[in-house]
Structure formats: C-alpha cells, structure tokens
Amino acid sequence: MSKVTVLSVDDIAFLEPYLPRSKDELPFVTLTYASSLDGMISLAPGLRTTLSGSATKSMTHYLRQYHDAILVGVGTVIADDPSLNCRYPGADFEPQPRPIVVDPRARWDYESSKLVQLSLQGKGKKPLLVHVAHGVERKNQDDGVCEHAYLPAEGEGPDSNSSSLDWMSMLMEFKRRGMDSVMIEGGATIISALLRRPELIDSVIVTLAPTWLGAGGVTVQPAERHEGGERVNAARLMGTAWRQFGDDAVLCGRLGT
Ligand SMILES: NC(=O)C1=CN([C@@H]2O[C@H](COP(=O)(O)OP(=O)(O)OC[C@H]3O[C@@H](n4cnc5c(N)ncnc54)[C@H](OP(=O)(O)O)[C@@H]3O)[C@@H](O)[C@H]2O)C=CC1
Ligand SMILES: Nc1nc(O)c(N)c(N[C@@H]2O[C@H](COP(=O)(O)O)[C@@H](O)[C@H]2O)n1
C-alpha cells in the first residue's frame, strides 16, 4: 500500500482555486473520483479497484483535510469497506471529515465495518447514514456507532415507495448539522446522478489513470439530456485546468449549467 506524502508547493497551488470556500445556504460540494481511460471507476461491480497512483492518492488525502464530510453511496461501502478518513501527514482527529453514507433502504451491515472501527478507535469521526423517511425500520438517531438521518424521498407522497433521496434536502440537512463542505467520492451511481445536477456541485476534480479497465467495468455515465427535442451532451466541465501527478493526470473544473 502506497504511503500518503506531502504534496509539492506547485501541486498545492494548482489545487487551491478548487478548494472549498464559504457559501450561505448549502455546503460547498466537491465531486472527485479516479477514472480509467475507458471511463471506468472499478473493474466490476462490487470490486475495490486501485486507479490512483501514490501522488494522486496523496492528493485525495490533501483534499479530504479541507472538507467537513466525505460522502459515498451504499454500493461503495459494501464493495470497498473504506476508511474515508484523512491520512495526510499531520492530520489528527479534529480536522477529520465525517463519513456520510447514502443508504436509503438501510441495507449496509456496518457493525464490523472499517468506518465504525476507526470511529471507535478515535481515528475517524462517527459515520452519518442517510435513509429515506418512510418504509425502513428506524433506529435511534445515534445508535452508539453511527448516526442516522431520515429524509424525504424524491417526490414523496402517501403512495410513494421511492428510495431515491432528494439531493437538495440532503445538502440542506448536512448544512443544518454544521457541515460546510462535502467531498463526494462515489460510486458510479452517485457521481452519474450528480453530473446531472450542476447547480449543486462547486468543484470537480478527476484523476485520470493511464490504464484501460476493460469490458464489464463500472462506468460513470450520466443520464442522457435533451434540449428542444435534440440530444445534447449530458454534462460539461468549464474553466478546466490539468496537471500531472506522478503517472496520472488530474483534471479540475466546474460544471457548466
Ligand atoms: N475510482 C473511484 O474513484 C471510486 C470507485 N468506486 C467504485 O464504485 C463502485 C460502486 O458504485 P455503485 O455500485 O454505483 O455504488 P454507489 O456507491 O454509487 O451507491 C449506489 C447506491 O446508493 C444509493 N443511491 C444513490 N443515489 C441515491 C439517491 N439520490 N437517493 C438515494 N439513494 C441513492 C442507491 O442505493 P439502493 O440501491 O439501496 O437504493 C444506489 O444503489 C465500487 O466498485 C467502488 O469500488 C467508488 C468510489 C470512488
Ligand atoms: N481517488 C480514488 N482513487 C482510487 O483509485 C479509488 N479506488 C478511490 N476510491 C475511493 O476512495 C475510497 C477508499 O478510501 P480509503 O483509502 O479506504 O480511505 C473508496 O471507498 C472510494 O470512495 N478513490
């Protein structure tokens, strides 16, 4: 496993324009992930796959220290059993980001997860799990190892059995809980959905690893978009900047609306 090392002064200067700054109503949202040259983020569903090299891994931990929370979907915690803490040299408990897991139907069995173990050992904050308000068995808001937030599903009405949470409600809830910045790391379903919500995303930082994962991999692919009856590009980055970190390329930008 590669070591997390300090970034160079030039790497830090490159990232600076894309770091969180204060916003009034909603948290600052950074979308960041590592992709292969064929647009994939893992070899197969459910398979943890290393794409970032040592320099971009260090970049991820550098970015984590600037965020109040790190968010992933339930597919990612089940596949990866991640740590989601900040291991950048010098990071200790206080600046640690809070892990957030979007698990609408409460299907993650978290008791023996790394996230819970790290929190119990004081090496990470207590995870916050986000569920839909109706149709799941409710736990205490704090069950001792995790906190649980129950939020309305998209378009929720008396007959709704949707398990799709509304992103605006989630972000408002994070802000209400004192989180001013959220780094969204994945997985494919979460990233693809958010690429269609450009108004909610403040920065995008993508690591491009010089490899092709091949058929059967997990792809980032936002839903198709139409304008005036015509098929148009689903999403686009504006104000882009590139830099090489080790063997990887890092692309930063903001989503065009
Ligand atoms: N290379 C990289 O940078 C990264 C790679 N990965 C990889 O990605 C893969 C996982 O991706 P994927 O399977 O798509 O999983 P995700 O982590 O994207 O989780 C998907 C699940 O999250 C829930 N979800 C997503 N959006 C919403 C919403 N708006 N409201 C409510 N629930 C929502 C759904 O749960 P439900 O089905 O219960 O409704 C959905 O099935 C893994 O292989 C992992 O290794 C992950 C992160 C980064
Ligand atoms: N930036 C990046 N590069 C990769 O190659 C990855 N596989 C990921 N995955 C994300 O990072 C989480 C793992 O974090 P820990 O090292 O366990 O703290 C993983 O769950 C994905 O969200 N990211």
Side-chain angles (χ1 to χ4, degrees):
M1 197 189 279
S2 63
K3 221 173 136 224
V4 177
T5 53
V6 175
L7 298 184
S8 73
V9 171
D10 288 345
D11 290 343
I12 288 171
F14 167 76
L15 294 169
E16 201 281 330
Y18 302 96
L19 294 179
R21 40 211 80 219
S22 68
K23 283 175 71 181
D24 287 338
E25 311 268 308
L26 293 173
F28 185 100
V29 176
T30 305
L31 191 60
T32 183
Y33 62 97
S35 174
S36 64
L37 293 176
D38 43 0
M40 293 179 186
I41 65 168
S42 77
L43 279 162
L47 214 59
R48 183 171 172 136
T49 304
T50 299
L51 279 162
S52 296
S54 58
T56 42
K57 181 178 175 177
S58 297
M59 176 190 78
T60 295
H61 286 275
Y62 176 79
L63 295 173
R64 284 181 180 179
Q65 74 177 343
Y66 284 95
H67 290 82
D68 293 332
I70 311 292
L71 181 148
V72 296
V74 61
T76 296
V77 282
I78 290 174
D80 290 3
D81 190 21
S83 301
L84 303 184
N85 57 359
C86 174
R87 308 191 290 277
Y88 197 73
D92 52 20
F93 184 74
E94 229 355 273
Q96 283 296 335
R98 176 171 303 282
I100 300 177
V101 179
V102 178
D103 183 9
R105 295 177 287 166
R107 61 186 174 93
W108 182 40
D109 184 6
Y110 52 81
E111 295 287 340
S112 57
S113 66
K114 234 183 247 169
L115 282 181
V116 165
Q117 298 314 312
L118 286 168
S119 158
L120 293 174
Q121 292 161 15
K123 293 182 186 160
K125 293 223 164 105
K126 192 180 280 185
L128 170 66
L129 276 50
V130 188
H131 314 291
V132 283
H134 294 111
V136 293
E137 199 183 318
R138 286 204 184 210
K139 298 209 159 123
N140 288 339
Q141 282 200 14
D142 185 338
D143 67 9
V145 289
C146 288
E147 288 182 26
H148 301 265
Y150 294 87
L151 299 179
E154 250 172 354
E156 191 164 270
D159 303 323
S160 168
N161 61 0
S162 169
S163 68
S164 199
L165 288 155
D166 173 58
W167 281 103
M168 179 65 93
S169 308
M170 280 195 268
L171 293 175
M172 284 166 65
E173 175 67 13
F174 304 151
K175 185 81 175 179
R176 194 185 67 75
R177 289 172 179 256
M179 291 174 253
D180 290 327
S181 52
V182 182
M183 175 159 152
I184 299 183
E185 293 200 5
T189 310
I190 295 268
I191 299 165
S192 301
L194 282 167
L195 288 173
R196 294 299 314 277
R197 299 299 305 273
E199 72 285 9
L200 300 179
I201 310 299
D202 298 290
S203 272
V204 178
I205 302 175
V206 180
T207 291
L208 199 52
T211 184
W212 290 264
L213 291 183
V218 175
T219 316
V220 168
Q221 195 170 64
E224 64 183 54
R225 190 158 79 97
H226 292 88
E227 264 176 21
E230 298 274 302
R231 177 84 188 258
V232 294
N233 293 10
R236 185 178 177 81
L237 276 187
M238 319 286 280
T240 54
W242 289 91
R243 182 171 171 83
Q244 187 160 349
F245 280 68
D247 287 340
D248 301 337
V250 172
L251 169 63
C252 298
R254 297 186 177 83
L255 282 172
T257 44

